[in-house]
């Protein structure tokens, strides 16, 4: 997913956006049809910006306000002599209110409108294939669950045609509040969303089907003053998080930036601990120690000679290392054997701030939940399902609810991995982190993330800030890496290598030479 410059940090549910829409109409006195016209102009403006010579346009219209937007977009195109026609997937005779007004405007402008009921399957496919751009104005925020017929068949035909799609407000079939796609969903190249940015565009299936997202508020900030609609999440990007790090003074030393202890790597999984330790190094930690199986020590020293590596056989050997650490990362590759259980037990009993990942979470899922405040939990959907006793499908059906529920039961900060990373802190709205790419779908990426979180916990005053910043940096480094390498074959170590490039603006403000007289 690509994110436009006009991103809104506040993310809203479908209910919140509807409340905002009603507030603008009922309390601010803005005519509903004027809002529809503004939405259509904004969407058409973005269409022309992204496709300056769009070619023939095919606008697929539903029955509600989303369909009305579509008819008005078609009218705007017709005024500029862009070839355009509409398909009324919902019969035009059933239109009411502002959608009916929009239909009449389009017809008055001379826009051809075909009734879907009059088209054969082959005729619809032919119309789609010859289109230069398809505008999806089928289903809006008022629809949840799997699209019914004929919408499901139309969505399949749109996706099969392979024509660029502009989605009006959100891709049809996507749940605006959760990002879930219970059935067919339009795969858009560009989504223009209005009034309030919908949380479902940024998590779950949203990043895979929305393409580039552009937020158009349609009204001024002053007109929203007193609006009852409240955000349900906050969107964060690395460019904002970068400013959370204080400048490093010229007399900085390693003791000021945290000592991270990585406890990881049972037999057969030594690379997990090595990657977490290397990521902590690249993320600016002052000191890094690695506690792992003795047979992994040589490999760790070759790969990361700066890391103080210790081979441990029993959990009791971990105690002195824990005493010296500021932050502990535990879980990558520790397994579920007695060795891993001993290590986790010592980490928890130490009371040190900690990041718990991978098998540490799987071991926790077998124990009674004891809410604690000093940990960051980083489950992927499978681990989250085990923590909550649910299925992965149930986790993905509402990722925000899942993250909040894990946080409620286990305490601390919870980072739910997956497209549209969700972070629940127990205070305020959850965060969704922008960025990432398909190249990250490979083993070891989570180990890298846990190392970055540990490093940032040693440099920022709050675990919640460290987790948000680490997730954002992780995604930004991965996006940086694919610029050169592409998605296929991207490795966790490529992301580690990209971290300094992403972090470089958090370094020393003035180099020593800049202080000399010239």
């Amino acid at each position: 997913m690509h994110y436009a410059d006009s991103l809104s940090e506040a993310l809203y549910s479908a209910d919140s956006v509807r409340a905002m829409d009603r507030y603008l109409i009922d309390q601010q006195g803005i005519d509903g049809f004027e809002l529809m016209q503004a939405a259509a102009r904004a969407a058409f403006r973005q269409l022309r910006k992204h496709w300056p010579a769009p070619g023939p346009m095919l606008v697929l219209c539903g029955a509600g306000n989303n369909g009305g937007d579509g008819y008005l977009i078609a009218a705007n195109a017709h005024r500029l002599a862009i070839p355009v026609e509409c398909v009324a997937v919902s019969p035009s005779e059933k239109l009411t209110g502002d959608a009916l007004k929009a239909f009449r405007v389009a017809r008055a402008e001379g826009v051809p409108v075909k009734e879907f009921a009059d088209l054969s399957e082959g005729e619809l496919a032919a119309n789609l294939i010859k289109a230069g751009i398809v505008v999806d104005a089928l289903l809006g925020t008022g629809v949840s669950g799997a699209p019914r017929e004929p919408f499901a068949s139309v969505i399949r035909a749109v996706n099969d045609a392979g024509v660029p799609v502009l989605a009006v407000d959100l891709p049809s079939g996507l749940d605006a509040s959760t990002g879930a796609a219970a059935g067919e969903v339009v795969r858009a190249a560009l989504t223009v969303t209005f009034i309030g940015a919908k949380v479902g565009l940024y998590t779950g299936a949203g990043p895979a089907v929305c393409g580039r997202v552009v937020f158009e508020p349609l009204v001024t900030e002053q007109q929203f003053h007193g609006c009852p609609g409240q955000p349900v999440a906050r969107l964060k990007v690395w460019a904002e998080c970068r400013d959370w790090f204080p400048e490093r003074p010229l007399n900085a030393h390693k003791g000021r930036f945290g000592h991270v202890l990585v406890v990881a790597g049972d037999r057969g999984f030594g690379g997990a601990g090595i990657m977490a330790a290397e990521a902590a190094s690249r993320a600016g930690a002052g000191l890094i120690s690695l506690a792992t199986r003795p047979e992994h020590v040589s490999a760790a020293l070759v790969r990361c000679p700066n890391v103080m590596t210790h081979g441990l056989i029993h959990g009791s050997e971990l105690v002195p290392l824990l005493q010296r650490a500021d932050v502990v990362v535990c879980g990558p590759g520790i397994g579920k054997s007695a060795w891993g259980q001993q290590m986790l037990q010592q980490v928890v009993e130490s009371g040190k701030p900690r990041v718990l990942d991978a098998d540490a979470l799987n071991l926790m899922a077998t124990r009674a939940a004891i809410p604690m405040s000093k940990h960051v939990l980083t489950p992927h959907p499978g681990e989250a399902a085990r923590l909550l006793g649910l299925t992965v499908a149930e986790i993905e059906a509402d990722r925000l609810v899942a993250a909040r529920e894990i946080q409620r039961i286990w305490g601390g900060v919870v980072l739910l991995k997956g497209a549209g990373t969700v972070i629940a802190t127990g205070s305020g709205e959850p965060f969704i982190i922008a960025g990432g790419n398909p190249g990250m779908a490979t083993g070891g990426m989570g180990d890298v993330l846990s190392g970055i979180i540990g490093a940032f916990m040693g440099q920022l005053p709050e675990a919640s800030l460290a987790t948000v910043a680490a997730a954002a940096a992780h995604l930004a480094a991965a996006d940086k890496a694919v610029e050169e390498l592409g998605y296929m074959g991207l490795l966790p170590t490529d992301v580690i290598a990209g971290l300094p490039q992403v972090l470089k603006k958090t370094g020393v403000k003035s180099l020593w030479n800049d202080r000399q007289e010239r």
Side-chain angles (χ1 to χ4, degrees):
M1 172 185 262
H2 300 284
Y3 300 88
D5 294 335
S6 55
L7 277 177
S8 169
E9 180 185 326
L11 302 180
Y12 297 87
S13 67
D15 288 342
S16 292
V17 174
R18 283 193 288 272
M20 294 161 72
D21 191 72
R22 292 311 316 170
Y23 174 81
L24 292 173
I25 294 170
D26 296 341
Q27 302 299 320
Q28 294 291 349
I30 301 175
D31 182 71
F33 190 64
E34 289 181 10
L35 279 177
M36 184 176 286
Q37 290 175 309
R41 287 193 298 269
F44 184 64
R45 182 172 63 250
Q46 292 297 336
L47 186 152
R48 294 296 307 281
K49 177 180 177 180
H50 290 83
W51 296 286
M57 290 173 53
L58 182 66
V59 185
L60 305 174
C61 299
N65 287 347
N66 203 252
D69 294 339
Y71 288 117
L72 292 178
I73 290 169
N76 279 304
H78 193 271
R79 292 185 193 112
L80 294 183
I82 296 174
V84 61
E85 65 179 17
C86 294
V87 173
V89 179
S90 294
S92 59
E93 63 193 36
K94 294 185 177 180
L95 296 175
T96 59
D98 292 336
L100 177 58
K101 289 182 184 179
F103 170 78
R104 289 171 174 168
V105 168
R107 295 298 290 123
E109 291 283 347
V111 175
V113 178
K114 296 179 179 179
E115 296 290 335
F116 174 76
D118 297 334
L119 296 176
S120 69
E121 184 176 336
E123 287 174 319
L124 175 63
N127 287 337
L128 287 166
I129 290 171
K130 72 181 182 182
I133 296 290
V134 171
V135 175
D136 165 25
L138 291 168
L139 303 173
T141 60
V143 179
S144 60
R148 300 176 181 178
E149 295 295 348
F151 294 99
S153 295
V154 172
I155 291 171
R156 277 195 300 272
V158 169
N159 290 337
D160 289 344
V163 179
V165 177
L166 180 149
V168 178
D169 210 21
L170 77 164
S172 293
L174 183 71
D175 190 304
S177 298
T178 66
E184 301 291 341
V185 58
V186 167
R187 295 193 297 268
L190 172 67
T191 298
V192 184
T193 194
F194 313 116
I195 305 293
K198 288 79 181 168
V199 67
L201 305 182
Y202 301 97
T203 193
V209 301
C210 289
R212 185 174 181 84
V213 177
V214 177
F215 170 58
E216 292 278 359
L218 303 184
V219 297
T220 65
E221 188 174 338
Q222 288 75 15
Q223 288 172 304
F224 277 125
H225 183 70
C227 181
Q230 294 298 312
V232 297
R234 297 282 174 180
L235 191 69
K236 290 295 182 183
V237 296
W238 171 243
E240 178 184 354
C241 300
R242 181 190 290 122
D243 295 334
W244 297 349
F245 291 80
E247 299 289 351
R248 292 193 171 188
L250 287 171
N251 63 343
H253 57 83
K254 61 190 177 184
R256 295 183 61 167
F257 306 113
H259 183 170
V260 177
L261 169 62
V262 177
V263 182
D266 200 352
R267 292 187 180 97
F269 299 99
I274 295 171
M275 287 189 292
E278 185 178 5
S281 299
R282 289 294 190 183
L287 292 165
I288 305 95
S289 295
L290 171 61
T292 187
R293 281 283 191 177
E295 49 264 51
H296 301 143
V297 171
S298 295
L301 291 175
V302 170
R303 177 74 191 188
C304 306
N306 62 298
V307 173
M308 297 172 284
T309 304
H310 307 266
L312 306 185
I313 297 174
H314 192 274
S316 60
E317 300 173 84
L318 188 60
V319 174
L321 302 180
L322 286 165
Q323 291 172 345
R324 294 195 291 270
D326 298 310
V327 180
V328 184
V329 175
C330 179
I334 65 168
K336 301 176 186 178
S337 69
W339 186 86
Q341 294 180 45
Q342 291 172 20
M343 297 300 161
L344 177 61
Q345 186 69 28
Q346 294 291 352
V347 168
V348 172
E349 289 180 357
S350 74
K352 291 292 180 78
R354 54 195 171 269
V355 182
L356 300 181
D357 183 35
D359 280 326
L361 301 174
N362 293 325
L363 290 170
M364 286 174 60
T366 65
R367 305 180 180 188
I370 303 175
M372 293 174 281
S373 61
K374 289 187 176 181
H375 61 215
V376 175
L377 309 182
T378 61
H380 59 53
E383 292 156 350
R386 286 187 282 276
L387 287 169
L388 292 178
L390 301 173
T391 65
V392 171
E394 288 171 321
I395 296 296
E396 291 292 84
D398 196 329
R399 289 168 53 80
L400 268 72
V401 166
R404 286 197 298 259
E405 184 65 6
I406 295 171
Q407 197 285 326
R408 184 188 68 79
I409 294 172
W410 294 94
V413 177
V414 173
L415 181 152
L416 178 58
K417 298 172 185 172
T421 299
V422 179
I423 298 173
T425 67
S427 176
E429 301 90 7
F431 297 96
I432 291 180
I433 312 303
N437 61 75
M440 302 181 75
T442 188
M445 288 292 178
D447 306 325
V448 172
L449 174 60
S450 64
I452 301 171
I453 297 173
F456 283 5
M457 286 175 70
Q459 300 173 65
L460 291 173
E462 297 177 19
S464 57
L465 293 178
T467 306
V468 170
H474 185 232
L475 298 176
D479 288 342
K480 190 74 177 175
V482 299
E483 291 178 6
E484 178 182 354
L485 303 173
Y487 300 142
M488 297 292 288
L490 186 72
L491 298 176
T493 49
D494 297 325
V495 176
I496 295 172
L499 278 171
Q501 186 75 7
V502 169
L503 301 176
K504 65 180 182 179
K505 291 189 178 180
T506 66
V508 176
K509 186 174 183 179
S510 299
L511 296 177
W512 185 269
N513 287 342
D514 292 339
R515 300 176 68 248
Q516 312 308 308
E517 293 184 6
R518 303 184 180 210

